[in-house]
Amino acid sequence: MLLVSSTPAVAQTPAFKQQWTYCLNWGGAYSRDLAVGGCTAIIQSRQETQTDLAIALINRGNVYAAQGDNARAIADYDKAIRLNPKDADAFYNRGNAHSEQGDNARAIADYDQAIGLNPQDVDAFYNRGIAHGAQGDNARAIADYDQAIRLNPQNADAFYNRGNAYSAQGNYARAIADYDQVILLNPQDAEAFNTRCWTRALWGRQLDLALADCNSSLRIRSNDPHTLDTRGLVYLRSGAFHAALADYDAALRRDAKLISSLYGRGIARLRLAQIGEAQADIAAARAKDPNVAIMFSQFGVKP
């Protein structure tokens, strides 16, 4: 989550100039302890305007959030909002902290406020999209990513996440179109190639293009077990069972916890009439995840 720092209009008291320097901590020039100390000195002085005190609270909250102490961050954002309920940054950053705590409903409510105060806040739309997606509301997530992309057409992350939301809806063609944009913006994005490969494998169409995507991903990020797992599924769906078996073997050598590769290897072995080994793989995968067979059936792959 991208935190937004605020800046006072003017440091009202010259004695606090250095404390403001610590508190704002541009470029991370000072330690977090100095930043917290500077903000705390300003807050406790009560010599600044309410608006500037709110800024000090937001910046101290940002330090707490960066340390993973979201409860203390939220407490500071709460105080900042009471002092200045028109500060969009306070709502945005509090939304991020709620999201980090897994409280997506509160995060969305805060992003709503941030967007109401600043309708051009691309990050608030983007992060609200993530929160909607976490709640399983892909339609609202897509609407937010639409706005983030409208505000910043170079936002590759928004295209990527919108593609994931379309994929979750089963709209694979539109998902692939979004991954196309991600790759256009960043031709070295191995994960985007892998995800587009995976999506085509799920779709069961364009399997030749899927294979090309996985190969491109592996050229950028060689021997990645998750991409090998993806390519294994492409080979399964293409009927290239020896190649599927080789990829699943390679994936498991690099990550023995990949249940999908274990189950997929079992399916490949079944197709190759390696019955004993196949049954052992499938049984082991099901013992680790009883839903793995359901997942593969949704991919169009059954024993």
Side-chain angles (χ1 to χ4, degrees):
M1 296 294 184
L2 175 67
L3 297 172
V4 173
S5 296
S6 297
T7 309
V10 178
Q12 298 295 322
T13 307
F16 285 111
K17 183 176 181 180
Q18 185 60 53
Q19 301 300 343
W20 272 115
T21 300
Y22 291 145
C23 181
L24 296 174
N25 198 15
W26 293 116
Y30 303 101
S31 70
R32 289 172 176 173
D33 286 343
L34 275 177
V36 167
C39 293
T40 301
I42 294 162
I43 293 161
Q44 291 178 347
S45 76
R46 299 186 180 277
Q47 294 180 27
E48 303 286 12
T49 65
Q50 285 194 195
T51 298
D52 285 353
L53 284 174
I55 290 168
L57 283 159
I58 292 168
N59 282 281
R60 189 174 70 175
N62 291 350
V63 179
Y64 290 143
Q67 292 174 325
D69 191 347
N70 289 296
R72 292 181 79 178
I74 288 168
D76 273 353
Y77 300 141
D78 287 345
K79 292 173 187 174
I81 289 166
R82 284 196 292 273
L83 287 168
N84 183 8
K86 299 297 185 183
D87 194 318
D89 292 348
F91 285 106
Y92 170 78
N93 288 344
R94 190 173 70 177
N96 290 348
H98 282 309
S99 181
E100 289 294 327
Q101 290 184 322
D103 192 342
N104 290 298
R106 287 186 176 179
I108 289 167
D110 277 340
Y111 296 138
D112 288 346
Q113 292 294 321
I115 290 165
L117 292 164
N118 180 10
Q120 303 302 306
D121 190 340
V122 60
D123 295 318
F125 279 112
Y126 175 77
N127 287 355
R128 191 173 69 178
I130 292 173
H132 280 310
Q135 290 188 320
D137 192 341
N138 290 300
R140 283 195 170 96
I142 289 167
D144 277 340
Y145 297 136
D146 287 345
Q147 290 300 315
I149 291 165
R150 179 183 64 80
L151 292 166
N152 179 12
Q154 305 301 307
N155 190 334
D157 290 339
F159 280 110
Y160 182 82
N161 282 8
R162 190 174 70 177
N164 291 346
Y166 278 131
S167 183
Q169 290 182 326
N171 193 339
Y172 299 125
R174 295 194 74 172
I176 289 166
D178 274 344
Y179 302 139
D180 291 345
Q181 289 298 313
V182 177
I183 292 165
L184 186 65
L185 291 166
N186 184 5
Q188 296 301 306
D189 190 334
E191 191 57 35
F193 277 111
N194 178 39
T195 305
R196 192 170 67 178
C197 178
W198 178 257
T199 303
R200 284 174 162 142
L202 294 185
W203 196 16
R205 303 183 189 180
Q206 304 177 345
L207 293 177
D208 54 337
L209 296 178
L211 181 58
D213 280 340
C214 275
N215 289 339
S216 293
S217 182
L218 287 166
R219 279 194 291 271
I220 299 165
R221 189 174 59 188
S222 63
N223 297 319
D224 176 67
H226 298 282
T227 308
L228 290 165
D229 177 80
T230 301
R231 194 172 66 178
L233 179 61
V234 174
Y235 282 136
L236 270 187
R237 301 211 71 178
S238 301
F241 304 123
H242 285 288
L245 177 58
D247 270 352
Y248 286 134
D249 272 338
L252 288 165
R253 282 195 299 272
R254 289 162 178 80
D255 185 352
K257 296 180 181 179
L258 272 176
I259 297 170
S260 57
S261 286
L262 185 59
Y263 189 86
R265 187 175 69 178
I267 298 294
R269 283 174 163 164
L270 269 182
R271 302 293 189 267
L272 295 169
Q274 300 174 8
I275 304 303
E277 292 170 310
Q279 290 175 340
D281 278 347
I282 290 170
R286 283 176 167 166
K288 293 178 180 180
D289 181 359
N291 295 317
V292 67
I294 296 171
M295 180 179 72
F296 266 76
S297 70
Q298 292 171 343
F299 301 164
V301 176
K302 297 179 181 180

